Amino acid sequence: MDLYVSGSLNGSDPSHISAAFYENLSNGTYSQLNNGSFSGDTSESYANAIGDIDNDGYPEIIVGNSNNEDIFLWKNLSDQTNNWLKVNLQGTISNKQGVGSVIEISTNGQKQYRYTLCGEGFLAQNSDSEFFGLGNTLTVDYVKVKWLSGIEDIIYNVSANQSLTIIENSTLSTGLGKAKNYIEIYPIPTSKTIKIKSESIITKIRVYDTMGKALLDTSPYALNHEINIENFLKGVYILKVQLKDIEVTRKIIKD
């Protein structure tokens, strides 16, 4: 990823640049543009944000200038031959925007990570979308999201050049299908007990509250098991069921 830096100077002094753009050379170093930044980028500014305003997968830069000056919009005019992926998160148990989640993608064994933030700069906030550059890769092996709730969602064989929205706790069946396991958890909601049935041995069952505090931990080593949550307060909890080769996470509701 490249780097853009806003500046408090207006460019009137040639010895002090007003802003700076650094190109990522993909070897751990950056190269600054000869004139520091873009042509005409000479306003006093303390804020900028990144987002894809035309949904072409190549993010633009918006700069908020001081002294009631108009904002700058720096359009991305890069050679658009590389592939890309945009990921948007929608939390259901965690916060709505998925802030604090970690997104991991893998392409041919090479992994990239993004950590979703809120309040990334002064007087500015980047787009909710997380951008991944894919080069000439057309398919992402998997996209994995680890939410603040502890839930993990995984989507396999994701096509490039799209905006992908992942809803918390929505893709667990994909993981189950890949692991060739079948599990049934019911009833939800419940006021007393939850029954768990699986085609694979259940080695461990754990229940957490939404703050991550463990409330129940048992190791049945059976295909069927029943847990009692009658003494739990009404609300939402996280159920984790460990099978032989996969951990299944579900939201459960005590009514």
Side-chain angles (χ1 to χ4, degrees):
M1 300 181 71
D2 300 324
L3 176 65
Y4 176 83
V5 182
S6 296
S8 61
L9 303 177
N10 61 12
S12 57
D13 182 353
S15 64
H16 295 86
I17 59 176
S18 59
F21 182 83
Y22 299 89
E23 181 183 1
N24 189 336
L25 301 181
S26 300
N27 60 4
T29 64
Y30 289 81
S31 175
Q32 188 184 54
L33 294 184
N34 292 333
N35 61 345
S37 187
F38 311 115
S39 177
D41 191 5
T42 56
S43 290
E44 178 184 349
S45 173
Y46 299 93
N48 63 73
I50 308 300
D52 184 11
I53 65 167
D54 52 4
N55 292 316
D56 65 355
Y58 290 76
E60 278 73 45
I61 302 172
I62 293 179
V63 182
N65 295 316
S66 302
N67 303 317
N68 297 317
E69 293 187 20
D70 292 338
I71 65 171
F72 288 157
L73 169 60
W74 301 110
K75 180 73 174 69
N76 194 330
L77 301 178
S78 302
D79 183 12
Q80 299 186 3
T81 56
N82 289 327
N83 298 310
W84 51 270
L85 178 68
K86 289 198 300 184
V87 178
N88 304 287
L89 302 183
Q90 183 176 324
T92 57
I93 301 173
S94 305
N95 59 83
K96 183 71 171 180
Q97 294 176 299
V99 173
S101 302
V102 176
I103 305 172
E104 173 188 324
I105 73 168
S106 179
T107 54
N108 301 317
Q110 299 295 316
K111 296 181 180 180
Q112 296 186 51
Y113 299 88
R114 297 289 184 270
Y115 178 71
T116 56
L117 301 172
C118 182
E120 292 161 283
F122 179 63
L123 300 177
Q125 169 64 40
N126 291 339
S127 164
D128 288 342
S129 299
E130 298 294 338
F131 298 87
F132 293 90
L134 303 178
N136 59 5
T137 300
L138 293 173
T139 303
V140 177
D141 296 331
Y142 67 79
V143 179
K144 178 167 66 175
V145 181
K146 185 171 184 179
W147 305 82
L148 280 180
S149 64
I151 289 174
E152 289 189 0
D153 284 299
I154 305 177
I155 301 177
Y156 297 93
N157 299 319
V158 177
S159 298
N161 304 322
Q162 65 163 310
S163 181
L164 176 68
T165 297
I166 301 178
I167 300 174
E168 185 176 13
N169 204 28
S170 66
T171 63
L172 294 167
S173 59
T174 304
L176 288 173
K178 190 175 182 66
K180 298 181 180 180
N181 284 303
Y182 172 80
I183 190 168
E184 187 176 1
I185 301 171
Y186 66 96
I188 301 176
T190 183
S191 60
K192 293 184 178 181
T193 60
I194 291 179
K195 296 180 179 180
I196 304 168
K197 296 183 178 180
S198 174
E199 292 183 354
S200 179
I201 293 295
I202 303 168
T203 60
K204 185 175 283 291
I205 299 172
R206 290 165 292 179
V207 178
Y208 301 86
D209 64 18
T210 54
M211 300 300 292
K213 180 181 178 180
L215 303 176
L216 184 149
D217 191 328
T218 184
S219 302
Y221 286 93
L223 295 176
N224 304 317
H225 194 71
E226 186 174 298
I227 60 174
N228 191 320
I229 63 171
E230 186 174 5
N231 293 328
F232 287 16
L233 297 175
K234 292 183 178 181
V236 176
Y237 297 88
I238 307 300
L239 171 69
K240 290 180 178 286
V241 180
Q242 182 67 53
L243 306 180
K244 180 180 178 181
D245 51 6
I246 191 173
E247 184 180 74
V248 178
T249 304
R250 288 285 190 274
K251 176 180 68 175
I252 60 175
I253 301 173
K254 165 68 187 305
D255 60 11

